[in-house]
Amino acid sequence: MSKIIWLKNNIDINKWNFILIVCLTLFSSVIIPMPSLILKKIIDGGFNNVFKENIHLVILYLLSPVFLGIVSIFLSKYSITFSEELTNSLQKNLYKNTTKKNIDFFINNSSGIITQKIVRESGELSQYINSITINLVSQFITLVTTIYIMIKLNYILTILIFLFIPLYLIPTIFSKKLTLGLNKQSLDERSKSLQNIQETLNIGTYMTIKLLTGFKKEIEEFTGIVKKISYYNIKRTVRIEFLNTLNSITTTMLPILIFFLYLYMFPNDLDISVFIVFLTYINIIGNIFKNSFNILNKIPMFFQILDRLSEYTSEYMDVSYGKETITDKKIDIKFENVSVEKNGKKILNNINLEIKSGEKVIIVGESGSGKTSILNLISRFCLPKEGTIKFNNRNILNFNEESFIDNVYYAIQEPTLFNKSIRKNILYGNENKNNEDLMIASKKSYIYEDVQKLQEKYDTVIGESGFNFSTGQKQRVAIARIFLKNKPLILLDEITASLDKKNEQLILDTLLDDFKDSTCIMVSHNLFNIKYFDRVILIKDGGIEWQSKVENYEYCLEKLKSMLRS
């Protein structure tokens, strides 16, 4: 029941479209058996009356397939629309849910698995909903209508027919057992194939793989995955067709058996027109059970995907933030006994730290010492195992997301660029800025001259992962974004790591001058950068080893070098 509630909360249905589908389904299902009744009346009237008294019945009988076809076309149109609306709403909500997950989710799940669930599995789930609800209801109504007419025509023959109905259900009994495991295995292999494509066929990994293995290993691995998918799909299809064949045999043989049995019991009691109508109705019933078998076969797959998606949306969810807003544009930061764990190992241990509003702090230390974890904690990308982090004596978890984004900017170490123009990359998240703002930010990040040398200038497409730019240029494009952010708290993680010494000094000078009223915290491996900051903090083995104001640059530099060597 909880899974169904989850589904209800994650799909948006146009109720008028749904009502129209229900009405068309009811109407279509009720009139399907009617042509056979019309045929019975024509036969009962005799051949001589066909072109006299029964000509209207003949015309009605001939037009009935056209009429049913028109109804079927409209029903298909609105059913597909309903299915697409389900898919779109489910994909939208899954995408939205994914954006609310914490950073551990993206560490533990590949982009291939995420894509499989949001795009493919959501689409399949919508198709199953459409098939199971609308089609199954349609089959049921047609069955009830047909049975009612059969009872009216000959209730004994109807009873005989339905005594043999359990034989129609034989394939259904075996369907779940024969196909459920194969469905799961096929879904798992599809996720692997998407993961393989996204991990190997992007500019970030293409060159590395090309140089190291020439894609021989990757081609073999991908071929193995798609062969497994084919194997499971073929095996499942063969099993389904075997069951369909069994269903066809029973559908063909049972009418003969039933009529011979009826003639044996009541040799002189079978009307030829009733016989013809019942032959038609047995065919309708056979198709109903065949279609119902296919629909029922989808129910285990439906719940299988539903389980996967509901579990997907519930795991690694980000913490629920409060509703407070950051009103004071001067932000003091305080760490109180903060510890962080990763895979059972403490990354930071019992950190106590205060950073005053407007202070410029640089954090240094060896790789893996926990420097970036401090920025991740302040930006709420990760949560402390123990302790509290506060802005102006209020827990940072109390602030709503919109207010937090408006007041905190975090420039991560690896510059994130999109396969869009330079203009759109720099203005990303700042679309309200004009061309003058763009030029100023470009000049301050020292990327302006590089852009002017390009034929299309700011309209030049950077390429996937910024492939058309050097590492230093990519970093300067990312730095340009910072100058468009007038925020009271700026977090910088190795943002100048790929720059030459001259550009690094120029950018840091400009940056810290521009944000002289903001609180700035920068992580850097370059000890010489401490001269630009008010205070330096050395992180070692997950703790604050040493901190000092940078009043005597030479003393601080030598002290840090000595402590890092020890």
Side-chain angles (χ1 to χ4, degrees):
M1 182 58 71
S2 60
K3 301 291 193 302
I4 301 298
I5 293 171
W6 173 89
L7 182 62
K8 181 178 179 293
N9 292 334
N10 281 277
I11 57 174
D12 305 318
I13 297 176
N14 183 329
K15 66 176 182 179
W16 295 113
N17 188 27
F18 182 73
I19 290 170
L20 183 59
I21 292 170
V22 171
C23 292
L24 285 170
T25 301
L26 288 170
F27 185 65
S28 173
S29 302
V30 168
I31 64 174
I32 283 174
M34 295 307 168
S36 299
L37 271 182
I38 297 170
L39 181 61
K40 180 183 182 303
K41 285 189 173 293
I42 294 171
I43 295 171
D44 288 342
F47 179 77
N48 294 330
N49 292 323
V50 167
F51 298 104
K52 294 179 182 178
E53 297 177 10
N54 293 331
I55 187 65
H56 65 287
L57 293 175
V58 173
I59 294 170
L60 188 60
Y61 180 75
L62 292 174
L63 289 177
S64 58
V66 177
F67 186 66
L68 280 168
I70 292 171
V71 174
S72 178
I73 289 169
F74 277 99
L75 183 57
S76 297
K77 175 185 180 297
Y78 288 109
S79 295
I80 291 169
T81 303
F82 175 72
S83 180
E84 288 299 318
E85 287 174 349
L86 279 179
T87 302
N88 292 342
S89 64
L90 191 55
Q91 289 178 346
K92 177 195 74 175
N93 288 323
L94 284 171
Y95 184 90
K96 184 178 178 181
N97 175 276
T98 305
T99 65
K100 295 183 180 298
K101 293 187 179 295
N102 61 39
I103 197 168
D104 291 333
F105 170 81
F106 297 96
I107 293 170
N108 291 290
N109 287 274
S110 69
S111 57
I113 291 172
I114 296 170
T115 304
Q116 164 83 5
K117 293 188 183 300
I118 294 176
V119 178
R120 183 153 191 166
E121 292 186 16
S122 62
E124 290 179 352
L125 189 67
S126 298
Q127 290 174 10
Y128 291 149
I129 292 171
N130 191 45
S131 178
I132 292 168
T133 54
I134 297 172
N135 292 347
L136 200 58
V137 168
S138 173
Q139 299 298 317
F140 176 75
I141 296 169
T142 303
L143 181 64
V144 170
T145 308
T146 306
I147 292 171
Y148 175 77
I149 295 170
M150 289 171 69
I151 290 171
K152 286 289 185 181
L153 292 174
N154 190 321
Y155 74 92
I156 295 174
L157 187 55
T158 304
I159 292 170
L160 267 179
I161 288 171
F162 279 89
L163 285 175
F164 288 90
I165 284 298
L167 293 175
Y168 282 102
L169 302 178
I170 291 173
T172 307
I173 296 169
F174 295 101
S175 62
K176 182 176 179 180
K177 185 176 180 181
L178 289 176
T179 60
L180 186 59
L182 293 173
N183 294 334
K184 184 179 184 304
Q185 289 168 317
S186 179
L187 284 171
D188 289 341
E189 292 301 324
R190 283 184 205 168
S191 295
K192 288 180 184 178
S193 69
L194 285 171
Q195 178 181 345
N196 183 285
I197 290 169
Q198 292 184 342
E199 287 183 350
T200 59
L201 299 182
N202 67 74
I203 197 62
T205 56
Y206 170 80
M207 295 177 69
T208 302
I209 296 172
K210 191 81 171 174
L211 290 169
L212 293 176
T213 68
F215 275 97
K216 183 178 179 180
K217 176 186 173 185
E218 284 69 27
I219 291 170
E220 288 176 358
E221 185 177 337
F222 184 75
T223 303
I225 293 170
V226 294
K227 279 183 177 179
K228 281 186 178 180
I229 295 172
S230 297
Y231 169 76
Y232 293 132
N233 287 343
I234 291 168
K235 197 170 181 180
R236 184 183 62 188
T237 303
V238 169
R239 290 183 179 183
I240 289 172
E241 285 307 312
F242 167 75
L243 294 169
N244 285 340
T245 302
L246 188 60
N247 194 59
S248 297
I249 292 170
T250 56
T251 305
T252 305
M253 298 297 292
L254 283 177
I256 298 172
L257 179 62
I258 291 165
F259 280 114
F260 271 114
L261 183 59
Y262 185 85
L263 287 171
Y264 175 77
M265 295 169 63
F266 308 98
N268 301 313
D269 190 42
L270 187 60
D271 189 312
I272 187 65
S273 63
V274 172
F275 176 77
I276 292 171
V277 170
F278 267 70
L279 277 178
T280 308
Y281 285 168
I282 288 175
N283 185 52
I284 290 174
I285 291 171
N287 286 330
I288 287 173
F289 279 101
K290 183 179 179 180
N291 294 334
S292 298
F293 157 72
N294 290 329
I295 294 169
L296 291 171
N297 186 55
K298 292 175 181 178
I299 291 176
M301 298 168 67
F302 165 77
F303 281 106
Q304 198 173 79
I305 294 177
L306 185 59
D307 284 343
R308 289 163 67 96
L309 292 181
S310 61
E311 288 172 7
Y312 167 83
T313 54
S314 61
E315 61 183 6
Y316 294 107
M317 288 306 292
D318 208 348
V319 66
S320 295
Y321 300 119
K323 297 181 179 180
E324 295 182 31
T325 57
I326 301 173
T327 53
D328 194 343
K329 297 305 177 183
K330 294 184 179 296
I331 296 178
D332 293 327
I333 303 169
K334 189 174 185 179
F335 280 61
E336 295 180 344
N337 306 312
V338 173
S339 297
V340 176
E341 283 188 6
K342 185 177 181 181
N343 299 325
K345 180 185 176 183
K346 280 199 173 181
I347 305 299
L348 292 173
N349 187 23
N350 199 33
I351 298 292
N352 287 283
L353 173 65
E354 289 188 35
I355 297 172
K356 296 297 182 184
S357 169
E359 193 175 6
K360 309 296 182 284
V361 177
I362 184 169
I363 301 173
V364 298
E366 297 175 340
S367 295
S369 60
K371 305 185 300 294
T372 298
S373 294
I374 290 178
L375 299 189
N376 287 340
L377 285 165
I378 297 172
S379 60
R380 305 197 301 194
F381 272 118
C382 71
L383 300 176
K385 181 75 174 177
E386 299 168 0
T388 308
I389 303 159
K390 295 180 177 180
F391 286 175
N392 300 334
N393 290 319
R394 289 189 289 173
N395 192 320
I396 62 171
L397 301 182
N398 294 343
F399 300 114
N400 68 63
E401 191 169 12
E402 186 178 350
S403 177
F404 200 85
I405 291 171
D406 288 342
N407 288 276
V408 181
Y409 184 72
Y410 184 12
I412 60 176
Q413 181 175 355
E414 185 65 31
T416 303
L417 301 182
F418 304 96
N419 191 17
K420 299 178 180 180
S421 67
I422 298 170
R423 181 190 311 278
K424 288 184 177 179
N425 267 281
I426 293 176
L427 294 179
Y428 188 80
N430 295 280
E431 287 78 7
N432 59 329
K433 301 292 185 180
N434 57 34
N435 278 337
E436 185 180 353
D437 297 322
L438 175 68
M439 302 298 174
I440 292 171
S442 301
K443 289 175 180 178
K444 288 180 177 179
S445 63
Y446 294 90
I447 193 65
Y448 176 80
E449 291 183 5
D450 293 43
V451 174
Q452 295 306 308
K453 293 174 184 176
L454 300 171
Q455 186 175 354
E456 296 183 33
K457 298 188 170 47
Y458 284 97
D459 293 321
T460 303
V461 176
I462 286 180
E464 186 175 351
S465 300
F467 180 70
N468 294 329
F469 270 29
S470 70
T471 305
Q473 286 174 321
K474 286 190 286 187
Q475 202 146 37
R476 279 180 281 149
V477 169
I479 289 169
R481 292 176 188 153
I482 304 172
F483 290 104
L484 296 171
K485 304 285 185 182
N486 184 22
K487 300 192 178 184
L489 176 57
I490 306 292
L491 309 174
L492 311 168
D493 188 8
E494 299 278 15
I495 62 162
T496 60
S498 300
L499 302 182
D500 57 73
K501 188 175 180 181
K502 178 184 175 183
N503 276 324
E504 183 178 32
Q505 290 177 345
L506 290 170
I507 287 172
L508 283 177
D509 266 335
T510 308
L511 186 68
L512 295 173
D513 182 61
D514 255 42
F515 292 97
K516 56 179 176 288
D517 295 325
S518 299
T519 307
C520 291
I521 305 170
M522 178 174 172
V523 163
S524 179
H525 69 281
N526 188 351
L527 298 182
F528 294 100
N529 285 336
I530 66 173
K531 62 185 174 184
Y532 299 103
F533 292 83
D534 302 323
R535 181 161 47 127
V536 59
I537 298 172
L538 172 63
I539 302 295
K540 192 172 183 181
D541 298 326
I544 297 176
E545 185 75 7
W546 181 74
Q547 59 178 312
S548 172
K549 289 187 176 181
V550 189
E551 293 172 340
N552 187 327
Y553 166 67
E554 296 295 339
Y555 167 77
C556 288
L557 183 62
E558 291 305 316
K559 178 75 173 178
L560 289 168
K561 287 180 179 179
S562 172
M563 295 186 78
L564 286 169
R565 281 196 299 265
S566 62

